[in-house]
Structures are given as C-alpha cells and as structure tokens.
C-alpha cells in the first residue's frame, strides 16, 4: 500500500489535516490539461468532430463517458490504441490531426481553473519549487502554459513523450522530483484524471484530485488524498493553512 493511499484510508475525517504531514513543504507538481485549465471540453469537441467526419461508431458522436474512459488524461499512443485497436498508425494520425484542431480552439477559448492565480501567489510567496508534468505533446503543453501566463512560473516542464513511460506510470513524476531536487516526502501533486492520480500515487506522493470534469467517484478509485472542486475550494485552503501552521512549527523547532 502506498503512503498516499494509506493516508486517505487512515486519516481523520477532517480533510484539512490531510496534507500537514508534508511540512516543511518543498514543491508542488501540476498536471496541465484539466488541472491548470478547463481544456477537456476542447479535446472532446475536437475528437468528436474528427471522428464524426470519418463515420466512427456508426456516425454516432462520442459521448462524455467514452471520452472519460478512453481519452481523458491519457497519452496519445494509448488513445490511438483505444480508438483503433486494429490500426495503431491510423489512430496516431487521428490524434495528430486532433492536436492541430485543439490548439486552434485553445488559442480562442482556454480558461484557467477557478482560483489558479491565488494558488500561484501562495506558492510563489513561500518560494516553493514547481513543475508541470503532462502527457500532452510539447506544442500543446507550451501553448497552454503560455496562454495561462505561467511560462515563467514553472521551474520545469516534464513530458510523458520524453520519458520511457508516460502516465499512469510514475516515471514522469519521479523525473520531476529529480529535476527539482525535491523529496517526495515534502511534495504533493494536483491532478484531474484517473491516469494522472494513479501516476502520482505510484510515485509515492499525496495527490489532490481536481473534479473539473471527471466525476469524483471515478477519481476516488485512484486513491487521491483529497478531492476539491477547484483551487477556490475552501477544503483546499483549510488544508494549506494547516500545512503552513505545521511548517512554521517545524521551522521554529529547528
């Protein structure tokens, strides 16, 4: 059993204490799609239109359940296999076409998850290390981070494409720790997908699940330490306040 899974099961019902064991906090890691920004509707729209054009699923548009099960949070290689199990190359070509459509839509419509900039200030004020860790292709990741005004915020951007294994494997998150020179015992993660939460939990870190689009009961199957609606959720700020208190006690004692 991983540390974060056991903390979820054994912790008191008071969710504000769930992150306090990380004090003193060193780093915060973020997924990008659906975590920093509400991008899943744009991905869903792009896939739906392209699949309709080729008569996929008998011409019936893919619904949200199909999107969550086969696409959300996954690397394009895995999406290609899910959509075209007998023709991987065709699946890859479709995902490449979809990324072009997505970047056009994102340039026009991308919005941050509520409360993101307040959390950004909280992290900066404490001088914490931070990295973005994503299964998105580099052009997508860089575009989203730039559109959100976060290009100078992140110390590192770790891509599943540039690891031997993408999420749900823990490697991208372990690589982020290595690059930041941070300890998993003093770092936590924000994620919005089952795939991403599984990666963070497998890397041995607490994960805060953001229920932007994915349903909370699905995220809970991956054993996040805490779930919040967005970065403005009072549950998150209560947990951060407790973490601050614990960190200042540790500092004073040291």
């Amino acid at each position: 059993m991983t540390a974060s899974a056991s903390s979820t099961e054994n912790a008191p019902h008071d969710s504000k204490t769930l992150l306090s064991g990380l004090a003193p906090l060193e780093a915060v890691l973020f997924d990008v799609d659906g975590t920093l920004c509400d991008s899943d509707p744009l991905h869903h729209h792009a896939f739906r239109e392209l699949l309709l054009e080729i008569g996929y699923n008998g011409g019936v548009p893919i619904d949200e359940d199909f999107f969550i099960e086969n696409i959300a949070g996954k690397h394009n290689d895995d999406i290609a296999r899910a959509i075209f199990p007998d023709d991987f190359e065709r699946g890859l070509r479709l995902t490449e076409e979809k990324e072009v459509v997505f970047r056009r839509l994102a340039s026009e419509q991308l919005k941050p998850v509520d409360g993101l900039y307040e959390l950004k200030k909280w992290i900066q004020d404490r001088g914490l290390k931070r990295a973005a860790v994503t299964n998105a292709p580099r052009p997508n990741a860089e575009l989203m981070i730039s559109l959100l005004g976060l290009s100078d915020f992140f110390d590192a951007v770790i891509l599943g494409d540039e690891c031997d294994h993408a999420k749900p494997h823990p490697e991208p998150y372990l690589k982020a720790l290595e690059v930041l020179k941070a300890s998993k015992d003093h770092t936590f993660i924000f994620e919005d997908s089952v795939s991403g939460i599984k990666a963070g939990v497998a890397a041995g870190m607490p994960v805060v699940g953001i229920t932007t689009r994915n349903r909370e009961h699905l995220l809970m199957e991956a054993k996040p330490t805490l779930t919040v609606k967005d970065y403005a959720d009072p549950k998150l700020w209560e947990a951060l306040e407790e973490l601050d208190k614990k960190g200042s006690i540790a500092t004073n004692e040291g």
Side-chain angles (χ1 to χ4, degrees):
M1 185 180 291
T2 64
S4 41
S6 61
S7 68
T8 306
E9 292 166 4
N10 300 329
H13 293 298
D14 188 355
S15 61
K16 71 183 183 182
T17 63
L18 289 174
L19 298 177
S20 59
L22 296 170
L25 191 63
E26 292 178 12
V28 184
L29 309 179
F30 291 84
D31 173 50
V32 177
D33 268 307
T35 299
L36 294 177
C37 47
D38 189 14
S39 52
D40 276 359
L42 307 184
H43 287 290
H44 187 177
H45 177 83
F47 268 117
R48 187 179 68 232
E49 297 309 305
L50 286 173
L51 290 170
L52 269 176
E53 284 177 17
I54 61 173
Y56 186 82
N57 194 32
V60 178
I62 61 168
D63 60 14
E64 189 172 357
D65 287 338
F66 180 95
F67 179 82
I68 289 171
E69 183 176 345
N70 297 287
I71 296 170
K74 291 183 168 64
H75 189 273
N76 274 348
D77 286 0
D78 298 319
I79 296 169
R81 289 188 186 95
I83 293 178
F84 290 108
D86 301 322
D87 195 344
F88 178 60
E89 293 303 322
R90 185 183 188 194
L92 275 186
R93 287 195 299 274
L94 181 94
T95 62
E96 288 166 5
E97 290 174 37
K98 173 249 145 189
E99 300 306 1
V100 174
V101 176
F102 169 77
R103 287 193 287 273
R104 175 174 54 76
L105 293 171
S107 296
E108 301 163 355
Q109 301 177 36
L110 196 73
K111 291 183 173 61
V113 169
D114 286 351
L116 176 65
Y117 298 118
E118 289 78 7
L119 179 64
K120 171 179 180 273
K121 182 177 187 306
W122 186 90
I123 290 169
Q124 287 175 315
D125 287 350
R126 284 151 186 79
L128 302 173
K129 299 172 183 178
R130 52 264 189 182
V133 182
T134 178
N135 273 350
R138 182 171 287 280
N140 287 24
E142 290 180 346
L143 176 65
M144 288 185 280
I145 289 168
S146 172
L147 289 170
L148 293 167
L150 299 175
S151 297
D152 295 329
F153 173 68
F154 288 112
D155 301 311
V157 177
I158 307 298
L159 304 177
D161 271 349
E162 296 173 7
C163 298
D164 290 334
H165 305 281
K167 304 177 205 174
H169 195 281
E171 183 186 344
Y173 278 118
L174 294 174
K175 185 175 179 181
L177 289 177
E178 184 182 338
V179 169
L180 294 179
K181 295 182 170 57
S183 164
K184 69 180 177 62
D185 297 325
H186 301 285
T187 301
F188 73 95
I189 296 167
F190 285 106
E191 267 285 358
D192 78 304
S193 71
V194 169
S195 170
I197 293 170
K198 284 181 176 177
V201 168
M205 285 172 278
V207 182
V208 177
I210 307 286
T211 60
T212 329
R213 294 284 168 180
N214 290 326
R215 299 181 185 101
E216 184 173 12
H217 74 274
L218 292 176
L219 297 188
M220 290 306 295
E221 291 174 11
K223 300 196 183 308
T225 295
L226 175 68
T227 58
V228 297
K229 180 175 178 289
D230 51 36
Y231 301 114
D233 193 321
K235 268 199 303 183
L236 173 62
W237 289 96
E238 287 170 4
L240 295 179
E241 186 178 337
E242 283 297 311
L243 184 51
D244 260 349
K245 286 180 190 171
K246 190 88 177 289
S248 62
I249 291 168
T251 303
N252 291 338
E253 288 177 349

